[in-house]
Amino acid sequence: MATHTLEPISTLMERPRTINRSLILSGILAFWMVGLLVRLYQLEIFDYVELLSRAQRQQQRTVEVAPERGAIYDRQMHPLAMSLAVESVYAVPTDITNKELVASLLAPVLNLDRNDLVGRLNAFKSFCWVKRKISSQEVERVLDLNLKGVYFQKEMKRFYPKGELAAPVLGYVGLDDKGLAGLEYGFKEIEGKPGRVMLAEDARRQSFQSSEWEGRAGKNVVLTLDENIQYIAEKALNQTMEKFHAAGGVAIVENPNTGELLAMAGEPSFDPNDYADSPPLSRIDRPVSMVFEPGSVFKIVTVSAALEEKLTNPNEVIDCQEGSITIAGHMIHDDGMRFGRLTVAEVLAHSSDVGAIKLGLRLGDERFYEYIRKFGFGAKTNIELPGEEHGILRPPSAWSAISIGALSMGQEVGVTPIQLISAYSAIANGGILIQPRLVHDIYRGTSHEVLPPARGRRIVSEKTAAEMRQMFEGVIDHGTGTTAQVPGYTAGGKTGTAQKIDSTGHYSKSHHIASFVGFAPVDKPAIAILVTIDSPVGAMYGREVAAPAFASIASQTLSYLNVPQDNPSSVLQVASSASARSLRQQRRSLEDTRKKNSDVAEAALSPVQPVSYAHGVPHLNFGTVLLNDGPLTTVPDFSGMALRAVVEKCETLGFELKLSGSGVGVEQVPVAGAKVPPGSGVWVRFGR
């Protein structure tokens, strides 16, 4: 007989409760699992991109590395601008426990403001620059501090080895290596493409992975400028400005046959290595941005147009009416001169405003305006530089009754130096206006860009250009430009003096623009030169201020380029303080000396011949007038000296330098230590 054990009633009542709790717990677990899966799905699918980017921002740091800018060279491949690798200091603020202390240590070492540095360390978390592109001395000082959270990053820094040489043309770059002015700004090919470095860091800010994307270096640029000619132009310009306490000035040297610019100088200038310390006025590229009334140098258009239109000829006689003419009720006078009857050639040589106005009146408004435009005025030359100005030229419809007269003598028009030198180069090369060029070559590695050929268009006939060259020669030979005579060479050009407009809108009586523009030699011009001086003090005329600077630049440049002399009879070396006078003054003085002093030694009148070479050594046949009125000068040893140093030394001692080659001095005549009179000729050969 089976026995049945009955469960207590209490046990039977607990069983449904246990089942209910299990079901509830299972439901909760199931709900939690579903929620977890939904959340994971949301994170993995919907929020993946955002979370990944947040993780990358927290774990990765990307530093952009500026590319190496292309170098800039002169036509002889001498570097004018280059990029060097330097250190920059940065900080990871999260690694720095005491930011105030670190700032107090770094600020005096790096010449920073402590409070500013503390502010930057507090404002950033993962990265902030402390100071960029520091010197090697500053690197050593920071390393000596051994600060946690302070690191170094290589960057490229722009360096200009020649300092102020051609600074307005080259321009400068900012801290981020972006061009801010000049060629550095205008030539985007120089910049290159930046690279990047990505660093992956753990929670302790330790880098465990890095990736690097290389940038692309910029292209190198070879300019048409010549470092030595640039130095010659800048020095002559600087000396002229100092002598006359001028506010500014421009000197340009151009090859008129190709349009290549050999020198572009503007003063005041600056050091692009430290451009922030220079006033903004000194950073202006005056050769392309200076706009001024040209004065009589603008008569190149008036006379050329009249000749081209066959309205006159160089020998036609014009009545200059004793230096005055009335136009629309306004009396215009020649400046301090009263000329009667002059030929057209003499009108240009003596710069008669009355004569020029009469030629302008023959042309008429429309035709005169067409020639002004033909010569390139009122439009950009499109030289490879930013900031070029158009100039100022109103259409004939806006001219007044006296505008034709004012324009004929260079008023009521605004020109730039680069426009003016281009116009004179057109006359020098036979009548073709060539676009001025500053860039000779662009390359990266062995790949060279094909540059477009120089563009040119005929503006006057060869006959007109030849007649103008002969008349410009007369300006220097016996006209207003005798102070521009170049020993050993024929030269042609024109003086110009223009009143500046003052703050009241009227012509100033005390501020002028003095100019001289010309070329040499006359028959086969090798160079064209412009010199413009702004607001000289103590003198105002182009013949007094700018013409001597033209002669200095032309003499040294033609010698440097080894251009054969075409007028050797004009060279006369005088060993005295009067050796700088013009040829005619020298000869007159010599004749007077002969008549009054029979005991003076017979002076040798043989002219200086071009340097002739025998077995590579020149024979210097300098004709010297020995006046026995000064001590002899010792010839220094030029061996191993750079060309610029030799030029400076010869100018200081008063020697007439003849040179050949490039590099450093390797041979000279006379030998070092020789005793020669001041003003003697010295030949130096340069080599590597």
Side-chain angles (χ1 to χ4, degrees):
M1 182 174 173
T3 302
H4 296 280
T5 303
L6 297 176
E7 295 182 7
I9 296 176
S10 59
T11 301
L12 295 173
M13 294 178 65
E14 287 293 334
R15 185 176 295 172
R17 294 178 182 178
T18 301
I19 294 173
N20 290 337
R21 283 198 296 265
S22 298
L23 291 174
I24 292 172
L25 181 60
S26 298
I28 292 173
L29 289 175
F31 183 77
W32 179 79
M33 289 295 295
V34 171
L36 181 61
L37 291 174
V38 170
R39 179 59 176 164
L40 289 174
Y41 185 83
Q42 179 185 8
L43 293 175
E44 289 291 336
I45 304 300
F46 294 103
D47 297 338
Y48 172 79
V49 175
E50 180 185 353
L51 293 174
L52 180 62
S53 63
R54 287 173 61 184
Q56 289 176 342
R57 287 196 298 269
Q58 294 173 0
Q59 300 173 4
Q60 297 177 355
R61 176 168 54 87
T62 301
V63 179
E64 185 174 281
V65 180
E68 181 178 353
R69 293 179 68 86
I72 302 177
Y73 301 94
D74 82 333
R75 66 188 302 112
Q76 305 296 341
M77 295 304 293
H78 299 145
L80 300 177
M82 60 180 68
S83 294
L84 304 175
V86 295
E87 298 285 3
S88 292
V89 184
Y90 71 92
V92 179
T94 54
D95 290 354
I96 301 174
T97 55
N98 191 334
K99 297 181 178 60
E100 288 76 11
L101 177 60
V102 169
S104 298
L105 293 172
L106 283 175
V109 168
L110 298 176
N111 194 26
L112 299 173
D113 181 83
R114 177 190 175 279
N115 294 330
D116 175 69
L117 183 54
V118 170
R120 283 187 283 135
L121 292 176
N122 288 324
F124 298 93
K125 292 183 178 181
S126 61
F127 179 89
C128 79
W129 287 113
V130 176
K131 187 176 182 180
R132 300 177 65 181
K133 302 178 182 180
I134 63 176
S135 65
S136 57
Q137 292 84 357
E138 289 174 321
V139 171
E140 294 296 331
R141 293 168 188 165
V142 174
L143 287 173
D144 290 340
L145 294 176
N146 194 25
L147 297 173
K148 182 182 179 181
V150 178
Y151 309 101
F152 292 95
Q153 172 69 46
K154 288 281 187 184
E155 287 196 288
M156 303 306 296
K157 181 179 181 180
R158 203 60 164 168
F159 176 61
Y160 302 88
K162 308 301 180 182
E164 293 189 8
L165 191 79
V169 174
L170 299 176
Y172 51 89
V173 301
L175 195 60
D176 58 357
D177 247 17
K178 297 293 184 182
L180 299 179
L183 285 169
E184 296 280 26
Y185 173 78
F187 254 79
K188 303 304 180 184
E189 295 94 333
I190 298 176
E191 291 184 1
K193 185 178 180 180
R196 289 184 300 159
V197 176
M198 186 181 69
L199 302 175
E201 299 174 333
D202 58 20
R204 296 181 179 181
R205 312 303 298 177
Q206 299 295 321
S207 298
F208 61 86
Q209 184 181 0
S210 66
S211 301
E212 182 175 347
W213 290 268
E214 290 188 2
R216 186 174 60 187
K219 296 181 180 179
N220 302 307
V221 177
V222 181
L223 303 183
T224 61
L225 297 183
D226 187 292
E227 174 188 328
N228 297 310
I229 300 177
Q230 180 73 26
Y231 173 74
I232 290 169
E234 287 190 8
K235 185 166 185 179
L237 180 62
N238 189 265
Q239 290 174 339
T240 302
M241 287 185 57
E242 288 183 356
K243 180 179 179 181
F244 295 102
H245 308 285
V250 174
I252 303 176
V253 182
E254 179 179 343
N255 181 337
N257 305 298
T258 64
E260 293 184 337
L261 295 163
L262 306 178
M264 289 185 73
E267 291 287 342
S269 188
F270 66 100
D271 185 351
N273 292 302
D274 198 12
Y275 70 90
D277 285 347
S278 60
L281 187 63
S282 67
R283 301 199 292 267
I284 296 175
D285 194 359
R286 292 173 179 266
V288 298
S289 62
M290 176 184 177
V291 178
F292 62 102
E293 281 195 351
S296 292
V297 289
F298 196 73
K299 291 172 183 173
I300 183 176
V301 181
T302 311
V303 180
S304 296
L307 290 174
E308 184 71 9
E309 292 295 315
K310 297 180 173 54
L311 300 175
T312 189
N313 63 76
N315 298 316
E316 181 192 359
V317 177
I318 295 179
D319 184 6
C320 295
Q321 304 175 184
E322 297 301 319
S324 65
I325 189 173
T326 301
I327 300 179
H330 293 266
M331 179 73 74
I332 299 176
H333 296 275
D334 278 333
D335 189 10
M337 297 174 288
R338 293 187 176 183
F339 295 114
R341 296 171 65 81
L342 296 176
T343 64
V344 171
E346 291 172 333
V347 165
L348 191 64
H350 298 293
S351 199
S352 170
D353 290 339
V354 174
I357 290 171
K358 286 193 170 184
L359 294 177
L361 290 171
R362 295 183 188 180
L363 288 164
D365 293 1
E366 294 293 340
R367 191 159 44 174
F368 192 20
Y369 175 78
E370 288 178 8
Y371 274 94
I372 295 174
R373 295 285 295 179
K374 273 187 177 182
F375 271 84
F377 298 108
K380 292 182 179 181
T381 65
N382 291 322
I383 188 175
E384 308 98 324
L385 282 172
E388 183 184 7
E389 295 287 348
H390 291 85
I392 301 172
L393 177 62
R394 296 176 300 157
S397 59
W399 291 6
S400 67
I402 63 170
S403 291
I404 186 72
L407 284 162
S408 299
M409 57 184 184
Q411 294 182 347
E412 291 192 17
V413 61
V415 306
T416 63
I418 194 67
Q419 290 173 340
L420 205 51
I421 189 70
S422 298
Y424 274 78
S425 293
I427 294 299
N429 67 33
I432 299 175
L433 184 69
I434 300 176
Q435 179 185 0
R437 302 185 66 176
L438 187 60
V439 176
H440 177 70
D441 188 20
I442 303 173
Y443 71 95
R444 182 193 289 120
T446 58
S447 176
H448 293 255
E449 287 192 11
V450 178
L451 298 179
R455 292 182 297 174
R457 54 185 172 83
R458 180 164 294 281
I459 56 175
V460 294
S461 65
E462 291 186 13
K463 178 177 181 294
T464 297
E467 290 175 338
M468 288 298 298
R469 287 198 301 271
Q470 294 303 312
M471 288 193 287
F472 279 136
E473 183 179 13
V475 173
I476 291 180
D477 185 61
H478 57 270
T480 59
T482 55
T483 52
Q485 292 176 359
V486 183
Y489 298 91
T490 59
K494 185 72 187 75
T495 57
T497 307
Q499 293 173 286
K500 295 182 68 174
I501 305 295
D502 60 23
S503 57
T504 65
H506 298 87
Y507 284 109
S508 171
K509 294 183 179 180
S510 57
H511 292 85
H512 300 79
I513 299 287
S515 302
F516 190 92
V517 195
F519 46 84
V522 170
D523 290 335
K524 294 182 179 180
I527 54 173
I529 300 173
L530 171 143
V531 178
T532 295
I533 306 297
D534 184 2
S535 303
V537 178
M540 65 179 187
Y541 294 107
R543 62 176 177 269
E544 302 171 292
V545 179
F550 165 88
S552 175
I553 296 171
S555 177
Q556 296 177 72
T557 302
L558 291 169
S559 177
Y560 169 73
L561 295 175
N562 293 319
V563 177
Q565 293 183 354
D566 67 335
N567 190 26
S569 62
S570 69
V571 181
L572 194 62
Q573 304 295 326
V574 181
S576 70
S577 60
S579 61
R581 290 179 298 181
S582 68
L583 174 64
R584 289 177 177 75
Q585 291 173 322
Q586 291 172 345
R587 290 188 181 275
R588 260 196 309 272
S589 175
L590 180 59
E591 293 301 324
D592 292 342
T593 302
R594 281 178 167 176
K595 293 176 182 178
K596 296 179 181 179
N597 303 289
S598 58
D599 58 339
V600 174
E602 180 68 13
L605 283 174
S606 58
V608 174
Q609 302 295 332
V611 179
S612 60
Y613 294 85
H615 307 291
V617 179
H619 172 66
L620 299 178
N621 185 25
F622 291 111
T624 304
V625 179
L626 297 177
L627 298 182
N628 195 27
D629 62 351
L632 299 179
T633 302
T634 302
V635 177
D637 185 1
F638 295 120
S639 59
M641 293 178 62
L643 188 145
R644 180 183 299 182
V646 173
V647 171
E648 289 179 339
K649 195 70 174 178
C650 287
E651 287 188 354
T652 301
L653 298 175
F655 291 143
E656 181 73 17
L657 176 63
K658 302 289 181 181
L659 52 87
S660 63
S662 62
V664 297
V666 296
E667 188 178 4
Q668 68 182 78
V669 177
V671 296
K675 302 286 187 179
V676 297
S680 297
V682 175
W683 173 81
V684 181
R685 181 171 69 84
F686 294 84
R688 299 294 179 186

